Amino acid sequence: MIVSENAGLVVAGTRLVFNWYAQPGGDAYNVFGYMLNPANGNTIVILDDMSPNNGGLQTTAITFTGAQAGNYHFVFVCGAFDYTFGRLVGATLIIDNINLIQP
């Protein structure tokens, strides 16, 4: 699990853009990411993907609404789904170029 040390400010119209790459380790990867507002516990899902194949480089872009305003930490989790029933398991998640672009 990766959790950002500092929170980022989100206001209406803020854009989040980031690159990610997931790779199975002989089985299916299962990656999940969200933003967590520590003041009230609200979360915003920013990544949710599972695949038995190589995911390749992906870019995700999200624009936030006024109702989502606040300070948020990034949280990313990488796991694997064991299609092989214990013979192979594992996965890799790479996150790069995270940008919060204020309006």
Side-chain angles (χ1 to χ4, degrees):
M1 179 182 336
I2 300 169
V3 179
S4 64
E5 185 174 330
N6 298 314
L9 177 63
V10 170
V11 297
T14 298
R15 281 195 59 192
L16 166 66
V17 179
F18 65 96
N19 301 104
W20 62 277
Y21 175 82
Q23 182 176 11
D27 217 332
Y29 67 77
N30 193 340
V31 294
F32 189 74
Y34 60 98
M35 295 179 70
L36 171 66
N37 184 329
N40 58 21
N42 288 348
T43 59
I44 303 168
V45 175
I46 58 173
L47 175 62
D48 188 4
D49 194 56
M50 184 180 96
S51 174
N53 302 312
N54 190 332
L57 183 63
Q58 306 287 324
T59 299
T60 297
I62 300 166
T63 302
F64 298 98
T65 66
Q68 297 169 317
N71 290 303
Y72 288 86
H73 288 275
F74 295 100
V75 181
F76 293 97
V77 180
C78 178
F81 183 84
D82 188 11
Y83 281 120
T84 64
F85 302 102
R87 292 189 302 261
L88 296 170
V89 71
T92 301
L93 172 63
I94 298 169
I95 304 293
D96 196 15
N97 298 324
I98 299 175
N99 291 299
L100 279 174
I101 304 161
Q102 301 294 339

